[in-house]
Amino acid sequence: MKTIRLLAFLLLALPMMSACGAQGEEAKEIELVYVVWDSEIASNHVVKIALEQAGYDVTLTSVEQGIMWSSVADGSADAHVAGWLPEDMKVHYEQHKDDIIDLGANLEGAQTGLAVPTYMEIDSIEELSADVVSTITGIDAGAGVMMTTEEALREYGIDDVTLSASSDAIMTAELGNRYAAQEPIVITAWQPHWKFNSYDLKFLEDSKGIYEANGEIRTIVRAGLDEEKLEAYRILDQFYWTADDMNEVMLYMAKDGMEPEEAAEKWVNANQDKVDEWLKGV
């Protein structure tokens, strides 16, 4: 009779044990979402390695900016490390702030604006007109810097210059072509970004203070992540680096032709001490 009871108990317990094992495996999976900008490609692939060092199976998913915020807010993704705040992505932040957890800055001193090569004589947004360029070369239409540029054109009363949407890659390619020919070009720009290390560029003065002058990039996670995946939450909370760090990874990709995984691995190998700080307590 005891044997029969023991067998019955084991038969009942096995499904629960399997479920617990499956939950344990699921707890070691995490998804980060990001916009396809060189800066965010760099940061996400570096964070991916840090999370993998803690035993996580990491999925990186590229999305549009609005979806990056909404997917973390509704819990369909775990986190993003690309919150350009307090100004550049303020529309998305205000929309979702009650459904997300803001872990604070992972990088400080971020800047957005309109930039030109230093060989151009224009120094401020007030000087911008069709006599300088007919088109501002932008990035993806939903990006914060694009919405801010539309606002800037209105506020400065510039109605003879249009804003053209493209992508980070197309914008930098166009910059490279125009720069090589010493031709005028105005771009939507942000720092950190490798283009400031590769070309002599300057931000146009923004007397109305419309663009982000001294912002930060924040880590945003979904509600409940600290309860379900505490180690990942801790790593993301402790993730912090500098503009020089980010630019180094971007330059590996842009100038040395490395794939993002290779560039991130090279940076981590040279900066494991910084990564260890993110892994403290894990």
Side-chain angles (χ1 to χ4, degrees):
M1 183 62 71
K2 289 181 178 180
T3 302
I4 292 173
R5 287 175 179 171
L6 179 59
L7 286 171
F9 171 79
L10 289 173
L11 288 171
L12 289 170
L14 277 172
M16 291 187 287
M17 292 168 63
S18 298
C20 289
Q23 289 173 1
E25 292 173 4
E26 288 172 3
K28 279 294 187 179
E29 296 177 355
I30 188 165
E31 181 179 7
L32 305 181
V33 285
Y34 68 102
V35 285
V36 188
W37 305 343
D38 286 346
S39 53
E40 310 319 320
I41 293 172
S43 59
N44 276 272
H45 281 82
V46 167
V47 172
K48 179 177 185 285
I49 293 176
L51 288 163
E52 287 174 342
Q53 289 185 2
Y56 281 88
D57 181 7
V58 185
T59 299
L60 298 182
T61 304
S62 60
V63 294
E64 294 180 355
Q65 183 173 299
I67 297 174
M68 181 179 75
W69 284 88
S70 63
S71 61
V72 174
D74 66 22
S76 57
D78 291 300
H80 74 73
V81 295
W84 287 68
L85 294 165
E87 294 299 325
D88 191 63
M89 296 184 180
K90 62 183 177 182
V91 172
H92 297 298
Y93 183 83
E94 290 298 322
Q95 182 180 355
H96 299 293
K97 65 181 180 180
D98 294 333
D99 300 310
I100 58 173
I101 299 174
D102 180 355
L103 296 182
N106 59 60
L107 185 148
E108 295 177 295
Q111 183 177 359
T112 62
L114 296 179
V116 300
T118 55
Y119 58 72
M120 291 178 62
E121 295 182 1
I122 182 175
D123 292 311
S124 66
I125 298 176
E126 283 98 338
E127 299 174 74
L128 184 58
S129 72
D131 293 332
V132 179
V133 292
S134 60
T135 303
I136 297 170
T137 305
I139 54 170
D140 36 307
V145 70
M146 293 290 281
M147 292 187 282
T148 305
T149 298
E150 291 172 352
E151 178 186 352
L153 292 176
R154 290 192 301 270
E155 291 296 318
Y156 283 97
I158 301 169
D159 55 13
D160 58 351
V161 177
T162 59
L163 174 61
S164 175
S166 60
S167 68
D168 186 4
I170 293 173
M171 178 268 289
T172 51
E174 183 69 9
L175 171 63
N177 292 335
R178 295 290 185 89
Y179 193 92
Q182 296 286 285
E183 295 176 348
I185 184 172
V186 179
I187 60 171
T188 56
W190 60 96
Q191 175 73 297
H193 193 286
W194 63 267
K195 60 183 175 286
F196 284 93
N197 296 74
S198 300
Y199 307 108
D200 290 327
L201 303 174
K202 59 185 176 182
F203 278 106
L204 294 180
E205 295 174 8
D206 174 21
S207 62
K208 295 181 182 292
I210 294 172
Y211 290 96
E212 191 83 75
N214 187 28
E216 55 194 28
I217 307 176
R218 297 185 195 169
T219 299
I220 307 296
V221 304
R222 65 171 175 82
L225 186 68
D226 55 336
E227 298 173 357
E228 299 170 29
K229 303 174 185 181
L230 178 59
E231 290 183 339
Y233 179 93
R234 185 169 290 147
I235 294 166
L236 291 167
D237 192 24
Q238 294 173 166
F239 167 53
Y240 183 87
W241 63 345
T242 67
D244 287 341
D245 293 326
M246 180 183 274
N247 277 324
E248 190 173 347
V249 180
M250 286 190 283
L251 283 168
Y252 291 151
M253 295 186 293
K255 307 305 287 185
D256 298 339
M258 292 185 183
E259 292 297 320
E261 296 82 1
E262 183 184 6
E265 185 176 359
K266 181 174 181 178
W267 185 89
V268 169
N269 287 341
N271 295 275
Q272 185 61 52
D273 56 332
K274 291 187 178 182
V275 177
D276 289 341
E277 290 293 315
W278 310 340
L279 296 172
K280 272 187 176 179
V282 174

